Amino acid sequence: MKKRYIIIEFGIGETYNEVVEEDYFENELRNVELGNTILMCLPRNGENYYVNPKFIANVEVREVEE
């Protein structure tokens, strides 16, 4: 299921606002928590956006109507 993820980073503000598959986002977060990687790799405008979860102040998740 696709959801809109809005990421707010400390000291920067909103840095990410995209619709992503829920499983993909959760998998990226899980990989960081398990120590498999340091940064989450998320799609943004056809490119990769890398974010360190330690710098995330808030993640807002919204339902997407299809």
Side-chain angles (χ1 to χ4, degrees):
M1 170 181 282
K2 290 188 176 188
K3 293 190 177 184
R4 178 168 297 279
Y5 290 90
I6 301 167
I7 296 176
I8 311 291
E9 291 187 57
F10 291 111
I12 299 174
E14 184 177 303
T15 57
Y16 189 79
N17 186 340
E18 297 289 329
V19 175
V20 180
E21 285 288 338
E22 183 177 19
D23 291 340
Y24 181 83
F25 189 90
E26 295 298 327
N27 187 50
E28 284 295 313
L29 187 58
R30 192 173 310 110
N31 280 335
V32 172
E33 290 172 348
L34 293 174
N36 296 335
T37 184
I38 296 171
L39 303 174
M40 292 174 66
C41 178
L42 303 171
R44 181 168 75 175
N45 298 328
E47 296 182 3
N48 291 330
Y49 176 73
Y50 296 93
V51 62
N52 187 333
K54 293 179 182 178
F55 299 130
I56 294 177
N58 189 32
V59 177
E60 185 177 330
V61 183
R62 297 183 184 169
E63 298 293 327
V64 175
E65 294 182 21
E66 296 193 32

